[in-house]
Amino acid sequence: MKKTVSGWGRYPVMEAEVRELLPGSTPALPEEGVIARGLGRSYGDSALADTLYRTLPRNRMLDFDGERGELHCEAGVSFAELLRVFVPRGWFPPVTAGTKHITVGGAIASDVHGKNHHRDGCFSDYVRELTLLGPGGEIFACSREENPELFHATCGGMGLTGIILEARMRMRPIGSSKLDVMTLKAENLEEIFRLMEEYGDWPYSVAWLDCMAGGRKLGRSLLMAGRFREDGRLDYTEKAAPGIPFTLPGFLLNRGTVSAFNALYYHRVRGKRTSGIQDIHSFFYPLDIISNWNRIYGRQGFLQYQFVLPKENSYEGMKSVLEEISASGMGSFLSVLKLMGPENDNFLSFPLEGYTLALDFKVQPGLFDFLDGLDCLVADLGGRIYLTKDARMSSGIFEEGYPGLQRFREVRNSYGMAGCFESEQSRRLEI
């Protein structure tokens, strides 16, 4: 069935054949232009292709070893389902993205990182093995011991090595469904960098930045550091999230409204240091409070721009990027800074040791040229741009940031996957 589809950013939009990957089936795949799709939360064009296979029908939890904390499940299981089942039993995903509306398969394909990457790494670091549907209907078992090259290509491989069917992964024991959260107010970029390092021993940390502030206030921000309590309370309820009833006019987002929002958000915290207790939803998934918040950016959609810089260049690099944004007037509601730990062995995983910044920009005239300039700045500083968020990076910038690309291409070719599994993104980036 042909449908109009897009990523979460609602840019770009295309017509695609959408098929269901039914339980127990090993469909004969088309020879080219196939990609798996879960809940559609990749922002750009990485889950867009001529033929999409929805993995959501394969969402069974197959086994759980309570002694090892190991879950065996199908790839279409969502994080929302994991939370409903496992939080009351004292378990939590080892790494989670900023939304619970993603699938296990998507988390592997994006090798998602979270607020604890500086201590715990990526989601794939907790995946022991996975099974993969290849182009001819063959099933591959992959782990660090069996087909290791295919395993490292698949984790972070954006679905370009096949359709992930099942995974075995470790869950994390927790002693509460609540977290102690410390909020610290930083007056500028230098102070937030100092605080991020000072609170680096907290399991989870993230900072929101006012990207419109300039001069001595450049980089003013709020750092939220959290850790699970040990009070034995494992209650878990999920409230219905209200939605925005229609797409808002794009002109509502402009330099004035974004600046006003940023200033209000920064000043809502009065003290230099406050503490409190938050639940899992408030701390990990604040954007899920509104079910379709992507409508606030208007009909043209938006781009999320996330990059990472190596630690030695992070401060000066972030300063340069924020100065460019502040001067351009292309402000962002959402500007999130995170500390990241060492990179792993996967060929296309995004994280590297340093700092990452994520920003939302509505699609508007001049934006693509502006981001092309930021791309060059990031590349010159030894950084890279996150594929899961990308919708417009050039192939040259991509190749410069991902040194494992050649090995990734070799694995795809050796398994005959290069002609079959393609996305609009992989074509654009010449993967």
Side-chain angles (χ1 to χ4, degrees), residues 305-363:
Y305 187 77
Q306 183 170 358
F307 63 94
V308 61
L309 297 175
K311 206 159 194 177
E312 63 271 21
N313 294 335
S314 285
Y315 176 73
E316 290 300 331
M318 293 294 172
K319 186 177 177 185
S320 299
V321 169
L322 290 172
E323 286 172 343
E324 292 285 337
I325 294 170
S326 180
S328 75
M330 295 205 185
S332 167
F333 271 135
L334 182 73
S335 305
V336 175
L337 180 73
K338 286 186 287 199
L339 177 63
M340 309 199 89
E343 58 188 314
N344 59 27
D345 295 330
N346 302 328
F347 304 145
L348 294 187
S349 277
F350 166 69
L352 55 80
E353 188 163 13
Y355 282 83
T356 180
L357 182 64
L359 306 130
D360 284 351
F361 297 99
K362 74 171 183 178
V363 174

Side-chain angles (χ1 to χ4, degrees), residues 254-310:
N254 53 52
R255 186 185 183 105
T257 56
V258 173
S259 294
F261 171 83
N262 278 260
L264 285 170
Y265 195 84
Y266 177 73
H267 289 297
R268 75 186 174 87
V269 176
R270 298 197 176 274
K272 286 289 287 183
R273 172 175 169 160
T274 59
S275 59
I277 299 172
Q278 293 186 16
D279 63 20
I280 284 171
H281 301 293
S282 301
F283 185 74
F284 289 103
Y285 311 111
L287 290 175
D288 288 346
I289 292 172
I290 300 175
S291 64
N292 50 7
W293 59 266
N294 56 349
R295 288 184 173 180
I296 67 172
Y297 292 90
R299 293 192 180 281
Q300 302 304 315
F302 72 102
L303 303 178
Q304 185 161 109
Y305 187 77
Q306 183 170 358
F307 63 94
V308 61
L309 297 175

Side-chain angles (χ1 to χ4, degrees), residues 5 12 19 29-30 60 63 81 86 115 137 152 187 194 218 249 277 302 347 388:
V5 292
R19 301 179 183 178
L29 302 175
R60 294 177 299 167
D63 184 42
E81 291 166 324
F86 283 100
K115 296 176 175 66
H152 290 299
E187 294 181 358
R194 178 178 61 76
L218 184 79
I277 299 172
F302 72 102
F347 304 145
T388 302

Side-chain angles (χ1 to χ4, degrees), residues 72-85:
H72 180 203
C73 69
E74 293 183 321
V77 171
S78 73
F79 275 51
E81 291 166 324
L82 292 179
L83 297 174
R84 282 185 213 116
V85 171

Side-chain angles (χ1 to χ4, degrees), residues 127-142:
V127 175
R128 183 162 69 84
E129 62 182 43
L130 57 88
T131 54
L132 198 62
L133 176 64
E138 60 273 59
I139 306 291
F140 297 102
C142 311

Side-chain angles (χ1 to χ4, degrees), residues 173-194:
I174 54 174
S176 176
S177 58
K178 303 290 189 296
L179 296 101
D180 289 316
V181 178
M182 187 79 71
T183 302
L184 300 112
K185 200 168 186 176
E187 294 181 358
N188 51 43
L189 192 65
E190 185 176 355
E191 186 176 8
I192 191 60
F193 265 66
R194 178 178 61 76

